[in-house]
Amino acid sequence: MNDPAPSRAARLADVAELAGVSAATASRALNGSDRGVREVNRVRVLEAAKTLGYTTNFAAQAVAKGRSRGVTLVVKGMPDDFANPITAGVVAAAQRRGLPFTLISAGTDPADLVEAVNLARGHRPEILMIAGGRTKDDATLPALVEALQRYEAEGGRVVLVTQEGLPFDTVAYANRQGGYDMATALVGLGYRHFAVISGLKHGLTQRDRTEGFAAGLADAGIELSADRVLIGEFDRDAAYALTGELLRRNIAVDAIFAVNDAMALGVLTFLRDSGDPKRIAVAGFDDIKALRDVTPALTTVRLPWEQVADEALALALGPRGDEPRTTVVKGHVIVRESTPPVTH
Amino acid sequence: MNDPAPSRAARLADVAELAGVSAATASRALNGSDRGVREVNRVRVLEAAKTLGYTTNFAAQAVAKGRSRGVTLVVKGMPDDFANPITAGVVAAAQRRGLPFTLISAGTDPADLVEAVNLARGHRPEILMIAGGRTKDDATLPALVEALQRYEAEGGRVVLVTQEGLPFDTVAYANRQGGYDMATALVGLGYRHFAVISGLKHGLTQRDRTEGFAAGLADAGIELSADRVLIGEFDRDAAYALTGELLRRNIAVDAIFAVNDAMALGVLTFLRDSGDPKRIAVAGFDDIKALRDVTPALTTVRLPWEQVADEALALALGPRGDEPRTTVVKGHVIVRESTPPVTH
DNA sequence: CTGTTAGCGCCTTCAT
DNA sequence: ATGAAGGCGCTAACAG
């Protein structure tokens, strides 16, 4: 039952031999794009491969071809329960197209991203995707851009999801617009006194959402003063803590806009933990799945994740453009129970 | 700014040339484990690599070495928001040890798993992990076992997470025990009339949890009749629907045990949607992160996910055992608000 | 410590 | 339609 001698994996040559053909023919039958193999041989090769338990050695294939099939996605931090609907979307989209998918998760430090990208480069995938928001004044940005440009020069395709403004094909969200629309919606529901729970100062995603929100309020004649914008990490726990700080400041607030759903959940949970959850309305951004099981149901800006991943892959698989192209995906406000209409 | 001629990626030979050494030396300086390189040359090589933007070609490295560094994890279905704390755990554990991580997600069909494993084999990773529960009477099991045995014979390491009872190193959860403990805890809280929302008939995980639960009840003198065990898919939406069916049956129930948290969330949400959430207590299994933001806070069996991933990697990295080893990770009941004490 | 020489397994001309 | 031969980029074994 157990082979005592650590046998070696079956190679193409073994299959060819067993099938009584040359390696070249076996290769064509197994992986080659041409039809140039007689049916008899095709069948023989396939059978031989099966009895030998042959698996294509992708590494060797990649060396020979100079590039390996599939998508490699680099994400910042871990694709945890909340953060990465993108990841799930890309996995699904890649699967749908039969593309091998590889995930590389970088640390949260900007420098880690560059390192992860270089690691990814080492795999020479046809498509290299990078997910996650860009930060302003990022000292490592030139290094990142250089690594990616090199990669493209080497023949690879690069697609950025969310990292707007870099010279590569990009799928971006209409963050500003989403924030603006949310502000409009909340004002329409009757809210007047707002606070924003936002992320890291330099995060462009959160900045745009916040600015859009402020602009929306401004157009409705409401000013969002600086002390009503709280800033911390871009995650749930930070939002939980920030909400506490906000309440301690004791300023009149009837609605809180959190720049993403994970944070909105933190806000919601804090409010609940601290007694009266209904006193303040809460809205988020993203429409992640986890929202479905939360009370009150969370008002948010829904982003079409499947479409995001699909656009990204479409960009990468389509013809290379002369100029970097940017596809902007728009979200739309979904009003739920967490922001009931107010009657003045 | 943009190179017109699609240049080729820098190779080791290029680095060596620029550094004025042989490829072998460059290799040793860059990747070799030995220290056998003079400091002067080391520095020269590293610099050359930097100016050339050199990245190790992992594919070529893998071909030369016969195996590629890192962990490849095969998961059933998609690692969605709920389902896969395992994935997150493994990503983190691999990162901690500096191991490249690759994810391959198989379809939900058992045959897809075999296919995915063969795909993974093609990458020749040192470690191949498979996550996800085993199913009973699975016709594809022999094929799976064969593929994995071949892989081990070729020198790779295989670790199963959750797929108990197969002849490979395994990290399993104490599912039966967890179910038993949960039953005991609920009875201790004063509940008497139970129902179980379970998954696919053939899923071993859910079967064990259910059986353990029934056994716990039995030891407390309570019988769990067959009509109180509802079965469907192993996910939230199924649980949501099943809860409706349960209530329609109109049998006395004061507590529902769902065999995982995702399903428990479905139960909870259905109860809420249908009016009176507090009428029936709900308990789950896993303690996924998403529970933190749900009301009422969910009673569950907490599984130590970080530890699971760590054990798995430890098994794979440690010396190869003569016999397949199984590490059983135990969970413990955490009582929260969804199962308040009952006073009779 | 370093260079030379063979491969690793596969794909791709180029003939046949 | 098929086979032979060379090369992909890297590492390992063997000199020196």
Side-chain angles (χ1 to χ4, degrees), chain B residues 226-269:
Chain B
D227 61 326
R228 289 170 171 274
V229 180
L230 304 219
I231 287 172
E233 292 294 315
F234 195 48
D235 60 30
R236 175 203 176 275
D237 291 342
Y240 186 95
L242 286 176
T243 307
E245 196 183 317
L246 173 66
L247 296 193
R248 252 174 274 119
R249 289 194 188 172
N250 231 17
I251 38 186
V253 170
D254 53 21
I256 296 176
F257 171 53
V259 295
N260 72 28
D261 284 342
M263 299 183 82
L265 288 179
V267 172
L268 210 57
T269 300

mmCIF file of all heavy atoms in Angstrom, chain B residues 226-269:
data_model
loop_
_atom_site.group_PDB
_atom_site.id
_atom_site.type_symbol
_atom_site.label_atom_id
_atom_site.label_comp_id
_atom_site.label_asym_id
_atom_site.label_seq_id
_atom_site.Cartn_x
_atom_site.Cartn_y
_atom_site.Cartn_z
ATOM 1 N N ALA B 226 -36.497 12.397 15.758
ATOM 2 C CA ALA B 226 -36.040 12.661 14.388
ATOM 3 C C ALA B 226 -36.701 13.896 13.782
ATOM 4 O O ALA B 226 -36.075 14.620 13.011
ATOM 5 C CB ALA B 226 -36.297 11.443 13.511
ATOM 6 N N ASP B 227 -37.942 14.150 14.120
ATOM 7 C CA ASP B 227 -38.622 15.287 13.504
ATOM 8 C C ASP B 227 -38.130 16.621 14.051
ATOM 9 O O ASP B 227 -38.559 17.677 13.609
ATOM 10 C CB ASP B 227 -40.132 15.166 13.710
ATOM 11 C CG ASP B 227 -40.504 15.170 15.182
ATOM 12 O OD1 ASP B 227 -39.707 14.629 15.994
ATOM 13 O OD2 ASP B 227 -41.564 15.719 15.529
ATOM 14 N N ARG B 228 -37.215 16.544 14.987
ATOM 15 C CA ARG B 228 -36.653 17.775 15.542
ATOM 16 C C ARG B 228 -35.271 18.086 14.964
ATOM 17 O O ARG B 228 -34.591 19.003 15.400
ATOM 18 C CB ARG B 228 -36.542 17.650 17.070
ATOM 19 C CG ARG B 228 -37.904 17.671 17.733
ATOM 20 C CD ARG B 228 -37.817 17.311 19.201
ATOM 21 N NE ARG B 228 -39.092 17.551 19.835
ATOM 22 C CZ ARG B 228 -39.456 18.748 20.330
ATOM 23 N NH1 ARG B 228 -38.629 19.759 20.268
ATOM 24 N NH2 ARG B 228 -40.647 18.899 20.874
ATOM 25 N N VAL B 229 -34.870 17.263 14.025
ATOM 26 C CA VAL B 229 -33.589 17.504 13.368
ATOM 27 C C VAL B 229 -33.846 17.847 11.903
ATOM 28 O O VAL B 229 -34.242 16.992 11.119
ATOM 29 C CB VAL B 229 -32.671 16.267 13.456
ATOM 30 C CG1 VAL B 229 -31.348 16.556 12.757
ATOM 31 C CG2 VAL B 229 -32.455 15.880 14.913
ATOM 32 N N LEU B 230 -33.634 19.091 11.558
ATOM 33 C CA LEU B 230 -33.894 19.514 10.179
ATOM 34 C C LEU B 230 -32.588 19.584 9.394
ATOM 35 O O LEU B 230 -31.581 20.061 9.893
ATOM 36 C CB LEU B 230 -34.560 20.889 10.144
ATOM 37 C CG LEU B 230 -35.851 21.067 10.919
ATOM 38 C CD1 LEU B 230 -36.810 21.951 10.134
ATOM 39 C CD2 LEU B 230 -36.521 19.744 11.216
ATOM 40 N N ILE B 231 -32.673 19.140 8.163
ATOM 41 C CA ILE B 231 -31.450 19.038 7.376
ATOM 42 C C ILE B 231 -31.545 19.756 6.045
ATOM 43 O O ILE B 231 -32.546 19.668 5.337
ATOM 44 C CB ILE B 231 -31.138 17.545 7.126
ATOM 45 C CG1 ILE B 231 -30.636 16.924 8.428
ATOM 46 C CG2 ILE B 231 -30.108 17.382 6.027
ATOM 47 C CD1 ILE B 231 -30.482 15.438 8.357
ATOM 48 N N GLY B 232 -30.489 20.480 5.712
ATOM 49 C CA GLY B 232 -30.454 21.172 4.427
ATOM 50 C C GLY B 232 -29.007 21.432 4.046
ATOM 51 O O GLY B 232 -28.118 20.717 4.476
ATOM 52 N N GLU B 233 -28.787 22.451 3.222
ATOM 53 C CA GLU B 233 -27.409 22.824 2.911
ATOM 54 C C GLU B 233 -26.715 23.298 4.178
ATOM 55 O O GLU B 233 -27.354 23.613 5.170
ATOM 56 C CB GLU B 233 -27.385 23.935 1.859
ATOM 57 C CG GLU B 233 -27.866 23.505 0.489
ATOM 58 C CD GLU B 233 -26.927 22.485 -0.150
ATOM 59 O OE1 GLU B 233 -25.706 22.706 -0.097
ATOM 60 O OE2 GLU B 233 -27.414 21.472 -0.669
ATOM 61 N N PHE B 234 -25.394 23.379 4.072
ATOM 62 C CA PHE B 234 -24.596 23.694 5.255
ATOM 63 C C PHE B 234 -24.347 25.202 5.344
ATOM 64 O O PHE B 234 -23.259 25.627 5.657
ATOM 65 C CB PHE B 234 -23.267 22.939 5.116
ATOM 66 C CG PHE B 234 -22.461 22.849 6.381
ATOM 67 C CD1 PHE B 234 -23.036 22.470 7.584
ATOM 68 C CD2 PHE B 234 -21.103 23.113 6.364
ATOM 69 C CE1 PHE B 234 -22.283 22.362 8.742
ATOM 70 C CE2 PHE B 234 -20.328 23.003 7.520
ATOM 71 C CZ PHE B 234 -20.929 22.634 8.711
ATOM 72 N N ASP B 235 -25.370 26.013 5.039
ATOM 73 C CA ASP B 235 -25.091 27.452 5.065
ATOM 74 C C ASP B 235 -26.221 28.283 5.649
ATOM 75 O O ASP B 235 -27.277 27.779 6.007
ATOM 76 C CB ASP B 235 -24.759 27.951 3.659
ATOM 77 C CG ASP B 235 -25.924 27.698 2.701
ATOM 78 O OD1 ASP B 235 -27.085 27.689 3.149
ATOM 79 O OD2 ASP B 235 -25.665 27.501 1.503
ATOM 80 N N ARG B 236 -25.968 29.555 5.727
ATOM 81 C CA ARG B 236 -26.890 30.464 6.368
ATOM 82 C C ARG B 236 -28.281 30.447 5.741
ATOM 83 O O ARG B 236 -29.287 30.373 6.440
ATOM 84 C CB ARG B 236 -26.325 31.887 6.291
ATOM 85 C CG ARG B 236 -27.267 32.932 6.837
ATOM 86 C CD ARG B 236 -26.946 34.289 6.236
ATOM 87 N NE ARG B 236 -27.910 35.283 6.673
ATOM 88 C CZ ARG B 236 -29.077 35.503 6.084
ATOM 89 N NH1 ARG B 236 -29.459 34.757 5.070
ATOM 90 N NH2 ARG B 236 -29.881 36.441 6.524
ATOM 91 N N ASP B 237 -28.337 30.565 4.431
ATOM 92 C CA ASP B 237 -29.634 30.681 3.771
ATOM 93 C C ASP B 237 -30.500 29.447 3.987
ATOM 94 O O ASP B 237 -31.706 29.548 4.192
ATOM 95 C CB ASP B 237 -29.440 30.936 2.280
ATOM 96 C CG ASP B 237 -28.858 32.315 2.024
ATOM 97 O OD1 ASP B 237 -28.927 33.159 2.938
ATOM 98 O OD2 ASP B 237 -28.329 32.547 0.924
ATOM 99 N N ALA B 238 -29.863 28.293 3.951
ATOM 100 C CA ALA B 238 -30.607 27.066 4.202
ATOM 101 C C ALA B 238 -31.180 27.088 5.613
ATOM 102 O O ALA B 238 -32.339 26.729 5.848
ATOM 103 C CB ALA B 238 -29.709 25.857 4.019
ATOM 104 N N ALA B 239 -30.368 27.524 6.548
ATOM 105 C CA ALA B 239 -30.808 27.558 7.940
ATOM 106 C C ALA B 239 -31.993 28.498 8.098
ATOM 107 O O ALA B 239 -32.951 28.207 8.828
ATOM 108 C CB ALA B 239 -29.661 27.990 8.844
ATOM 109 N N TYR B 240 -31.916 29.609 7.403
ATOM 110 C CA TYR B 240 -32.999 30.581 7.442
ATOM 111 C C TYR B 240 -34.301 29.895 7.013
ATOM 112 O O TYR B 240 -35.322 29.953 7.700
ATOM 113 C CB TYR B 240 -32.671 31.735 6.507
ATOM 114 C CG TYR B 240 -33.643 32.885 6.545
ATOM 115 C CD1 TYR B 240 -33.403 33.991 7.339
ATOM 116 C CD2 TYR B 240 -34.799 32.863 5.765
ATOM 117 C CE1 TYR B 240 -34.286 35.062 7.362
ATOM 118 C CE2 TYR B 240 -35.693 33.922 5.787
ATOM 119 C CZ TYR B 240 -35.431 35.024 6.588
ATOM 120 O OH TYR B 240 -36.311 36.070 6.610
ATOM 121 N N ALA B 241 -34.240 29.203 5.915
ATOM 122 C CA ALA B 241 -35.427 28.531 5.383
ATOM 123 C C ALA B 241 -35.897 27.401 6.305
ATOM 124 O O ALA B 241 -37.080 27.245 6.574
ATOM 125 C CB ALA B 241 -35.117 27.980 3.991
ATOM 126 N N LEU B 242 -34.938 26.639 6.795
ATOM 127 C CA LEU B 242 -35.298 25.505 7.645
ATOM 128 C C LEU B 242 -36.003 25.950 8.922
ATOM 129 O O LEU B 242 -36.893 25.270 9.433
ATOM 130 C CB LEU B 242 -34.047 24.710 8.017
ATOM 131 C CG LEU B 242 -33.450 23.857 6.898
ATOM 132 C CD1 LEU B 242 -32.164 23.191 7.370
ATOM 133 C CD2 LEU B 242 -34.452 22.791 6.449
ATOM 134 N N THR B 243 -35.590 27.093 9.429
ATOM 135 C CA THR B 243 -36.219 27.590 10.641
ATOM 136 C C THR B 243 -37.708 27.836 10.395
ATOM 137 O O THR B 243 -38.557 27.518 11.229
ATOM 138 C CB THR B 243 -35.538 28.884 11.113
ATOM 139 O OG1 THR B 243 -34.144 28.653 11.209
ATOM 140 C CG2 THR B 243 -36.072 29.304 12.479
ATOM 141 N N GLY B 244 -37.984 28.389 9.234
ATOM 142 C CA GLY B 244 -39.378 28.598 8.876
ATOM 143 C C GLY B 244 -40.143 27.286 8.882
ATOM 144 O O GLY B 244 -41.233 27.182 9.443
ATOM 145 N N GLU B 245 -39.530 26.289 8.296
ATOM 146 C CA GLU B 245 -40.185 24.988 8.243
ATOM 147 C C GLU B 245 -40.417 24.429 9.641
ATOM 148 O O GLU B 245 -41.474 23.894 9.964
ATOM 149 C CB GLU B 245 -39.315 24.022 7.440
ATOM 150 C CG GLU B 245 -40.056 22.783 6.998
ATOM 151 C CD GLU B 245 -39.120 21.834 6.265
ATOM 152 O OE1 GLU B 245 -38.320 22.322 5.440
ATOM 153 O OE2 GLU B 245 -39.183 20.618 6.544
ATOM 154 N N LEU B 246 -39.412 24.610 10.471
ATOM 155 C CA LEU B 246 -39.510 24.099 11.848
ATOM 156 C C LEU B 246 -40.699 24.722 12.567
ATOM 157 O O LEU B 246 -41.505 24.025 13.188
ATOM 158 C CB LEU B 246 -38.214 24.436 12.602
ATOM 159 C CG LEU B 246 -38.234 24.119 14.097
ATOM 160 C CD1 LEU B 246 -38.319 22.607 14.318
ATOM 161 C CD2 LEU B 246 -37.000 24.683 14.793
ATOM 162 N N LEU B 247 -40.802 26.042 12.449
ATOM 163 C CA LEU B 247 -41.878 26.718 13.159
ATOM 164 C C LEU B 247 -43.239 26.277 12.637
ATOM 165 O O LEU B 247 -44.195 26.154 13.396
ATOM 166 C CB LEU B 247 -41.719 28.230 13.032
ATOM 167 C CG LEU B 247 -40.444 28.791 13.679
ATOM 168 C CD1 LEU B 247 -40.511 30.297 13.789
ATOM 169 C CD2 LEU B 247 -40.232 28.173 15.061
ATOM 170 N N ARG B 248 -43.283 26.016 11.342
ATOM 171 C CA ARG B 248 -44.541 25.581 10.757
ATOM 172 C C ARG B 248 -44.971 24.216 11.301
ATOM 173 O O ARG B 248 -46.146 23.892 11.336
ATOM 174 C CB ARG B 248 -44.409 25.525 9.233
ATOM 175 C CG ARG B 248 -45.176 26.638 8.542
ATOM 176 C CD ARG B 248 -44.934 26.660 7.062
ATOM 177 N NE ARG B 248 -43.739 27.438 6.715
ATOM 178 C CZ ARG B 248 -42.672 26.950 6.102
ATOM 179 N NH1 ARG B 248 -42.638 25.668 5.744
ATOM 180 N NH2 ARG B 248 -41.639 27.721 5.847
ATOM 181 N N ARG B 249 -44.018 23.431 11.704
ATOM 182 C CA ARG B 249 -44.364 22.109 12.236
ATOM 183 C C ARG B 249 -45.084 22.200 13.574
ATOM 184 O O ARG B 249 -45.645 21.243 14.066
ATOM 185 C CB ARG B 249 -43.098 21.276 12.420
ATOM 186 C CG ARG B 249 -42.500 20.862 11.095
ATOM 187 C CD ARG B 249 -41.478 19.783 11.306
ATOM 188 N NE ARG B 249 -40.784 19.534 10.053
ATOM 189 C CZ ARG B 249 -39.722 18.746 9.934
ATOM 190 N NH1 ARG B 249 -39.231 18.147 11.005
ATOM 191 N NH2 ARG B 249 -39.161 18.557 8.772
ATOM 192 N N ASN B 250 -44.872 23.375 14.181
ATOM 193 C CA ASN B 250 -45.657 23.602 15.378
ATOM 194 C C ASN B 250 -45.363 22.642 16.519
ATOM 195 O O ASN B 250 -46.269 22.172 17.198
ATOM 196 C CB ASN B 250 -47.140 23.511 15.010
ATOM 197 C CG ASN B 250 -47.872 24.743 15.531
ATOM 198 O OD1 ASN B 250 -47.236 25.744 15.848
ATOM 199 N ND2 ASN B 250 -49.179 24.642 15.608
ATOM 200 N N ILE B 251 -44.123 22.321 16.715
ATOM 201 C CA ILE B 251 -43.774 21.525 17.877
ATOM 202 C C ILE B 251 -43.130 22.420 18.911
ATOM 203 O O ILE B 251 -42.527 23.437 18.572
ATOM 204 C CB ILE B 251 -42.805 20.368 17.536
ATOM 205 C CG1 ILE B 251 -41.792 20.831 16.487
ATOM 206 C CG2 ILE B 251 -43.568 19.148 17.073
ATOM 207 C CD1 ILE B 251 -40.898 19.727 16.003
ATOM 208 N N ALA B 252 -43.265 22.048 20.143
ATOM 209 C CA ALA B 252 -42.716 22.879 21.222
ATOM 210 C C ALA B 252 -41.194 22.903 21.160
ATOM 211 O O ALA B 252 -40.549 21.862 21.213
ATOM 212 C CB ALA B 252 -43.182 22.329 22.576
ATOM 213 N N VAL B 253 -40.655 24.078 21.031
ATOM 214 C CA VAL B 253 -39.202 24.233 20.981
ATOM 215 C C VAL B 253 -38.807 25.450 21.800
ATOM 216 O O VAL B 253 -39.347 26.528 21.601
ATOM 217 C CB VAL B 253 -38.733 24.447 19.520
ATOM 218 C CG1 VAL B 253 -37.267 24.863 19.502
ATOM 219 C CG2 VAL B 253 -38.938 23.187 18.694
ATOM 220 N N ASP B 254 -37.887 25.273 22.722
ATOM 221 C CA ASP B 254 -37.411 26.472 23.398
ATOM 222 C C ASP B 254 -35.955 26.784 23.116
ATOM 223 O O ASP B 254 -35.439 27.814 23.527
ATOM 224 C CB ASP B 254 -37.707 26.448 24.912
ATOM 225 C CG ASP B 254 -37.198 25.200 25.594
ATOM 226 O OD1 ASP B 254 -36.296 24.547 25.042
ATOM 227 O OD2 ASP B 254 -37.684 24.884 26.694
ATOM 228 N N ALA B 255 -35.271 25.882 22.394
ATOM 229 C CA ALA B 255 -33.897 26.193 21.996
ATOM 230 C C ALA B 255 -33.542 25.481 20.695
ATOM 231 O O ALA B 255 -33.882 24.323 20.498
ATOM 232 C CB ALA B 255 -32.917 25.788 23.095
ATOM 233 N N ILE B 256 -32.843 26.210 19.845
ATOM 234 C CA ILE B 256 -32.391 25.622 18.582
ATOM 235 C C ILE B 256 -30.868 25.588 18.558
ATOM 236 O O ILE B 256 -30.220 26.596 18.828
ATOM 237 C CB ILE B 256 -32.877 26.458 17.376
ATOM 238 C CG1 ILE B 256 -34.402 26.446 17.304
ATOM 239 C CG2 ILE B 256 -32.286 25.910 16.080
ATOM 240 C CD1 ILE B 256 -34.960 27.340 16.200
ATOM 241 N N PHE B 257 -30.341 24.423 18.247
ATOM 242 C CA PHE B 257 -28.900 24.304 18.072
ATOM 243 C C PHE B 257 -28.608 24.204 16.579
ATOM 244 O O PHE B 257 -29.062 23.275 15.909
ATOM 245 C CB PHE B 257 -28.393 23.053 18.812
ATOM 246 C CG PHE B 257 -26.948 22.711 18.525
ATOM 247 C CD1 PHE B 257 -25.935 23.666 18.674
ATOM 248 C CD2 PHE B 257 -26.591 21.427 18.120
ATOM 249 C CE1 PHE B 257 -24.605 23.339 18.417
ATOM 250 C CE2 PHE B 257 -25.261 21.096 17.856
ATOM 251 C CZ PHE B 257 -24.266 22.068 18.009
ATOM 252 N N ALA B 258 -27.872 25.185 16.070
ATOM 253 C CA ALA B 258 -27.466 25.132 14.666
ATOM 254 C C ALA B 258 -26.031 24.632 14.645
ATOM 255 O O ALA B 258 -25.214 25.035 15.467
ATOM 256 C CB ALA B 258 -27.560 26.507 14.030
ATOM 257 N N VAL B 259 -25.722 23.757 13.692
ATOM 258 C CA VAL B 259 -24.421 23.095 13.730
ATOM 259 C C VAL B 259 -23.240 23.958 13.305
ATOM 260 O O VAL B 259 -22.099 23.525 13.411
ATOM 261 C CB VAL B 259 -24.424 21.784 12.918
ATOM 262 C CG1 VAL B 259 -25.357 20.774 13.554
ATOM 263 C CG2 VAL B 259 -24.810 22.058 11.474
ATOM 264 N N ASN B 260 -23.509 25.150 12.819
ATOM 265 C CA ASN B 260 -22.409 26.115 12.728
ATOM 266 C C ASN B 260 -22.948 27.534 12.859
ATOM 267 O O ASN B 260 -24.163 27.757 12.789
ATOM 268 C CB ASN B 260 -21.553 25.917 11.472
ATOM 269 C CG ASN B 260 -22.254 26.334 10.204
ATOM 270 O OD1 ASN B 260 -23.118 27.198 10.199
ATOM 271 N ND2 ASN B 260 -21.875 25.708 9.105
ATOM 272 N N ASP B 261 -22.061 28.463 13.046
ATOM 273 C CA ASP B 261 -22.491 29.831 13.328
ATOM 274 C C ASP B 261 -23.196 30.490 12.156
ATOM 275 O O ASP B 261 -24.139 31.258 12.341
ATOM 276 C CB ASP B 261 -21.285 30.689 13.722
ATOM 277 C CG ASP B 261 -20.825 30.398 15.135
ATOM 278 O OD1 ASP B 261 -21.613 29.807 15.897
ATOM 279 O OD2 ASP B 261 -19.691 30.771 15.471
ATOM 280 N N ALA B 262 -22.709 30.204 10.957
ATOM 281 C CA ALA B 262 -23.351 30.803 9.795
ATOM 282 C C ALA B 262 -24.831 30.414 9.797
ATOM 283 O O ALA B 262 -25.717 31.240 9.577
ATOM 284 C CB ALA B 262 -22.673 30.342 8.514
ATOM 285 N N MET B 263 -25.074 29.141 10.088
ATOM 286 C CA MET B 263 -26.463 28.678 10.129
ATOM 287 C C MET B 263 -27.196 29.298 11.317
ATOM 288 O O MET B 263 -28.376 29.654 11.210
ATOM 289 C CB MET B 263 -26.495 27.154 10.209
ATOM 290 C CG MET B 263 -25.848 26.493 9.001
ATOM 291 S SD MET B 263 -25.940 24.683 9.017
ATOM 292 C CE MET B 263 -27.584 24.420 8.379
ATOM 293 N N ALA B 264 -26.513 29.430 12.426
ATOM 294 C CA ALA B 264 -27.147 30.035 13.594
ATOM 295 C C ALA B 264 -27.590 31.459 13.276
ATOM 296 O O ALA B 264 -28.652 31.905 13.705
ATOM 297 C CB ALA B 264 -26.185 30.019 14.777
ATOM 298 N N LEU B 265 -26.768 32.153 12.494
ATOM 299 C CA LEU B 265 -27.147 33.507 12.099
ATOM 300 C C LEU B 265 -28.416 33.481 11.256
ATOM 301 O O LEU B 265 -29.294 34.334 11.407
ATOM 302 C CB LEU B 265 -26.011 34.174 11.324
ATOM 303 C CG LEU B 265 -24.797 34.570 12.161
ATOM 304 C CD1 LEU B 265 -23.719 35.190 11.280
ATOM 305 C CD2 LEU B 265 -25.214 35.546 13.253
ATOM 306 N N GLY B 266 -28.486 32.510 10.395
ATOM 307 C CA GLY B 266 -29.690 32.369 9.585
ATOM 308 C C GLY B 266 -30.911 32.144 10.462
ATOM 309 O O GLY B 266 -31.977 32.735 10.257
ATOM 310 N N VAL B 267 -30.760 31.298 11.453
ATOM 311 C CA VAL B 267 -31.848 31.001 12.379
ATOM 312 C C VAL B 267 -32.277 32.281 13.109
ATOM 313 O O VAL B 267 -33.451 32.639 13.158
ATOM 314 C CB VAL B 267 -31.408 29.941 13.422
ATOM 315 C CG1 VAL B 267 -32.475 29.787 14.497
ATOM 316 C CG2 VAL B 267 -31.123 28.614 12.743
ATOM 317 N N LEU B 268 -31.268 32.941 13.631
ATOM 318 C CA LEU B 268 -31.509 34.155 14.398
ATOM 319 C C LEU B 268 -32.256 35.182 13.565
ATOM 320 O O LEU B 268 -33.232 35.794 14.010
ATOM 321 C CB LEU B 268 -30.146 34.736 14.801
ATOM 322 C CG LEU B 268 -30.055 35.527 16.086
ATOM 323 C CD1 LEU B 268 -30.530 34.664 17.247
ATOM 324 C CD2 LEU B 268 -28.607 35.956 16.310
ATOM 325 N N THR B 269 -31.771 35.368 12.359
ATOM 326 C CA THR B 269 -32.378 36.375 11.503
ATOM 327 C C THR B 269 -33.813 35.997 11.145
ATOM 328 O O THR B 269 -34.705 36.838 11.108
ATOM 329 C CB THR B 269 -31.541 36.590 10.237
ATOM 330 O OG1 THR B 269 -30.241 37.014 10.630
ATOM 331 C CG2 THR B 269 -32.152 37.647 9.342
#
